[in-house]
Amino acid sequence: MSMEVRKESNGLKNSIVTREELTIINQFTKRALKEDEVYTFAVRLCDNEVDRDGERFPRATLEELAELFVGKSGIFDHEWTAKGQGEGRCYLKGYAYMLRGGENDALIAQIEGGIKKEVSVGCSVERCVCSICGEDINTCAHKKGEVYGGKVCCAELVNAQDAYEWSFVAVPAQPRAGVLKRCGGEDAGTLKTFVKRRGSRANQRELESL
């Protein structure tokens, strides 16, 4: 089983394509592109700080995602972060390219003008564990955001399984925008799972009768 995750980040920096970068880019193209055809930029995909959901990617997970995101696509105009604990702050930086010309020139202008800058990532991880006890965050006795022995509890997203894509967030001001996740398989997030974990026996019987 795996958990699907979408996380937002903030940070984008454009750059001028070099011959070395063009060589790497052409590994992913059907024909060899020239320097004047390509626009490149860097994006801050995700980091190891605790986000607004009380979750974080440990450094090891970021390193796993770095390999998985190679060659993945970015999505544009797709409507679809507190402090790190126990390790230095770090983030995953991605390098992207797009063809110049046509409709892309308008998007390039938005990138350079700072309009397109909020980024989210879509990926899957094997487990979501409690930073206090190391057990599954959905079944242990600890709650995200609560303090235990002077340490704030959060969920750590570990063992990256796949990286789907990254995208510019269309509505960054919207509460909880860009965050979609599924924990523990197809039933996770359903009413049945919620009642099983949080409800009483009477609640469970009532749900079964319904």
Side-chain angles (χ1 to χ4, degrees):
M1 295 184 184
S2 64
M3 178 181 81
E4 292 183 3
V5 180
R6 176 161 293 281
K7 291 295 179 187
E8 291 181 23
S9 183
N10 186 356
L12 182 149
K13 183 179 180 182
N14 63 297
S15 60
I16 299 174
V17 65
T18 65
R19 290 183 180 275
E20 291 77 15
E21 290 171 339
L22 193 61
T23 299
I24 295 172
I25 289 170
N26 282 328
Q27 294 176 10
F28 301 101
T29 62
K30 291 185 177 180
R31 71 171 178 83
L33 301 176
K34 299 177 182 178
E35 288 92 337
D36 60 356
E37 294 182 283
V38 179
Y39 175 79
T40 63
F41 55 96
V43 289
R44 179 171 171 153
L45 295 172
C46 46
D47 57 39
N48 67 336
E49 295 185 17
V50 178
D51 66 18
R52 60 188 174 189
D53 294 321
E55 300 173 345
R56 67 183 289 268
F57 290 108
R59 184 187 181 99
T61 304
L62 292 178
E63 292 174 352
E64 292 166 350
L65 286 172
E67 298 296 324
L68 295 171
F69 265 110
V70 174
K72 295 298 166 63
S73 298
I75 296 176
F76 305 97
D77 292 325
H78 186 66
E79 294 190 27
W80 268 68
T81 90
K83 302 287 182 182
Q85 300 181 37
E87 62 188 8
R89 295 176 63 186
C90 58
Y91 66 91
L92 178 59
K93 184 177 184 179
Y95 295 91
Y97 74 94
M98 60 190 298
L99 293 176
R100 293 182 179 274
E103 294 181 359
N104 283 355
D105 284 345
L107 178 57
I108 290 171
Q110 289 183 317
I111 292 172
E112 292 186 335
I115 297 171
K116 292 287 188 183
K117 60 182 179 180
E118 301 287 336
V119 175
S120 68
V121 299
C123 62
S124 65
V125 296
E126 181 182 6
R127 296 183 300 135
C128 186
V129 302
C130 173
S131 62
I132 303 298
C133 66
E135 299 297 321
D136 187 315
I137 193 69
N138 296 309
T139 58
C140 76
H142 304 108
K143 293 185 178 181
K144 291 188 290 186
E146 297 293 324
V147 179
Y148 301 91
K151 184 178 179 182
V152 178
C153 176
C154 73
E156 300 196 333
L157 309 173
V158 299
N159 297 341
Q161 302 294 296
D162 196 4
Y164 307 132
E165 40 73 25
W166 60 270
S167 63
F168 284 116
V169 180
V171 191
Q174 183 180 4
R176 299 180 63 81
V179 180
L180 300 172
K181 52 179 81 72
R182 186 178 74 234
C183 302
E186 295 299 326
D187 289 336
T190 64
L191 178 61
K192 183 176 181 180
T193 302
F194 177 79
V195 172
K196 183 177 180 181
R197 289 178 178 163
R198 304 290 186 217
S200 65
R201 290 187 182 274
N203 294 144
Q204 294 177 34
R205 287 195 297 271
E206 183 179 0
L207 180 62
E208 290 300 324
S209 66
L210 288 173

